[in-house]
């Protein structure tokens, strides 16, 4: 009997110490200096995870694909930053900064001259929903090869083994209000497309007309709608949601 009583008291104190420890730990984390909107230990954990996932990333490992009749015809419109005004898609050209002092402007007609690829996959938003959707466009890797993008010194021939790649691509809407940064291995993944069609028709405005990114190896946040500008960099380009504390890598 007495023994049980002591045990209860003891467990109460162990529990109290545990709760105090949690409280102490959480407030310690919360009081650390912040990096991109969240306390440094949390950001560093995300960066550590990013290292692990980058090392596991494979260009040959594809997202699961679906058949056309599994694709949603009513596609959710989510996240309209940078799409506030409609734009004249006839006049549209995407600005590509290949290197310092080397900028290209490319029209949708030019993009359509490259081979078309379609992808039907389960589009996942970090808000917790997903839907199977059907997209068409040009593989970014084909596009990069054709226009000699992503390598340094304007160095141009993509098949050279010693090519020096930039580490990141940055994309922004024409008005600069939405922007993402993406690691080059994910950009060059065979399912990543510069997309101009949804369900076999030109992209609707709110899905990113006339050109958006579709990158099935990433969460929805990275699928920037209405690309105005594309550039390359070795330092991580600014990223709209990472700035508010979300994971920068956002890989699947
Ligand atoms: N320009 C722009 N692109 C964006 C967003 C945004 O707010 N602005 N939101 C992203 C998010 S969070 C998601 S889930 C997808 C949604 O794409 P959809 O509207 O075509 O379904 O777009 C992404 N691309
Ligand atoms: Mo999203």
């Amino acid at each position: 009997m007495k023994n049980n009583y002591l045990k209860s008291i003891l467990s109460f104190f162990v529990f109290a110490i545990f709760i105090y420890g949690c409280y102490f730990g959480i407030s310690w984390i919360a009081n650390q200096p912040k990096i991109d909107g969240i306390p440094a230990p949390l950001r560093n954990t995300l960066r550590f995870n990013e290292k692990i996932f980058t090392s596991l990333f494979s260009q040959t490992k594809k997202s699961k694909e679906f058949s056309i009749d599994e694709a949603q015809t009513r596609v959710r419109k989510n996240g309209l930053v940078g799409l506030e005004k409609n734009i004249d898609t006839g006049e549209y050209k995407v600005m590509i900064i290949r290197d310092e002092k080397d900028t290209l402007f490319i029209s949708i007609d030019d993009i359509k001259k490259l081979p078309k690829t379609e992808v039907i996959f389960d589009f996942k938003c970090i808000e917790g929903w997903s839907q199977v959707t059907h997209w068409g466009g040009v593989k970014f890797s084909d596009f990069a090869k054709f226009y000699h993008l992503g390598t340094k010194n304007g160095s141009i021939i993509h098949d050279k083994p010693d090519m020096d790649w930039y580490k990141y691509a940055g994309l922004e809407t024409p008005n600069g209000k939405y922007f993402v940064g993406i690691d080059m291995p994910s950009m060059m993944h065979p399912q990543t497309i510069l997309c101009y069609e949804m369900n076999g028709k030109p992209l609707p405005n709110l899905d990113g007309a006339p050109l958006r990114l579709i990158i099935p190896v990433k969460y929805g946040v990275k699928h920037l709608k209405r690309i105005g500008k594309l550039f390359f960099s070795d330092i991580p380009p600014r990223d709209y949601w990472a700035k508010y504390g979300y994971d920068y890598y956002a890989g699947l």
Side-chain angles (χ1 to χ4, degrees):
M1 189 61 187
K2 203 175 169 201
N3 207 354
N4 276 347
Y5 181 65
L6 278 178
K7 258 191 197 158
S8 303
I9 294 202
L10 188 65
S11 9
F12 175 78
F13 278 107
V14 169
F15 184 66
I17 290 167
F18 171 73
I19 292 294
Y20 178 75
C22 291
Y23 174 76
F24 180 79
I26 291 170
S27 47
W28 181 81
I29 290 175
N31 287 323
Q32 293 304 297
K34 291 200 165 146
I35 307 177
D36 292 341
I38 51 173
L42 300 182
R43 179 60 69 192
N44 291 335
T45 306
L46 287 176
R47 288 186 180 159
F48 178 68
N49 289 344
E50 174 168 344
K51 282 216 179 85
I52 295 176
F53 283 104
T54 337
S55 71
L56 294 175
F57 182 82
S58 151
Q59 301 253 334
T60 51
K61 206 167 104 202
K62 290 196 177 181
S63 277
K64 183 175 178 216
E65 298 211 17
F66 297 78
S67 65
I68 287 206
D69 46 282
E70 288 170 288
Q72 286 290 332
T73 45
R74 294 184 55 196
V75 176
R76 202 159 162 160
K77 321 278 178 218
N78 197 56
L80 305 179
V81 183
L83 308 177
E84 291 80 6
K85 294 197 183 115
N86 290 354
I87 60 165
D88 182 350
T89 55
E91 290 289 296
Y92 168 94
K93 286 196 162 105
V94 58
M95 176 180 177
I96 312 247
I97 305 173
R98 186 153 52 184
D99 242 317
E100 264 174 72
K101 299 188 199 130
D102 182 8
T103 302
L104 313 169
F105 293 89
I106 301 171
S107 70
I108 296 293
D109 285 342
D110 286 334
I111 292 174
K112 284 186 178 162
K113 286 177 193 150
L114 297 171
K116 181 164 148 190
T117 305
E118 295 185 49
V119 56
I120 303 166
F121 77 106
D122 196 13
F123 189 112
K124 296 191 177 78
C125 174
I126 41 172
E127 288 168 2
W129 54 269
S130 80
Q131 61 176 194
V132 175
T133 41
H134 171 198
W135 311 91
V138 53
K139 273 188 196 177
F140 181 78
S141 57
D142 289 347
F143 182 80
K145 191 167 186 175
F146 187 82
Y147 286 105
H148 308 301
L149 309 175
T151 52
K152 284 184 197 164
N153 329 318
S155 80
I156 297 292
I157 325 267
H158 259 213
D159 302 321
K160 264 198 338 208
D162 57 344
M163 257 178 345
D164 197 4
W165 288 91
Y166 282 106
K167 291 201 176 74
Y168 296 91
L171 293 91
E172 300 190 358
T173 54
N175 66 5
K177 289 202 176 145
Y178 196 80
F179 35 85
V180 298
I182 292 172
D183 55 284
M184 279 310 273
S186 300
M187 273 314 270
M188 297 301 285
H189 185 275
Q191 289 170 310
T192 301
I193 63 178
L194 295 181
C195 161
Y196 48 80
E197 277 181 11
M198 188 182 89
N199 293 327
K201 300 198 193 73
L203 274 182
N205 241 311
L206 298 182
D207 296 289
L211 189 72
R212 75 174 299 170
L213 186 68
I214 287 292
I215 181 160
V217 294
K218 300 283 189 196
Y219 276 105
V221 283
K222 296 283 188 181
H223 298 229
L224 181 130
K225 299 190 274 194
R226 190 175 292 161
I227 307 168
K229 178 165 121 183
L230 173 72
F231 61 95
F232 303 95
S233 160
D234 276 336
I235 46 169
R238 63 184 188 141
D239 190 274
Y240 188 88
W241 283 109
K243 205 173 49 136
Y244 291 113
Y246 284 82
D247 181 19
Y248 188 93
Y249 188 65
L252 280 162

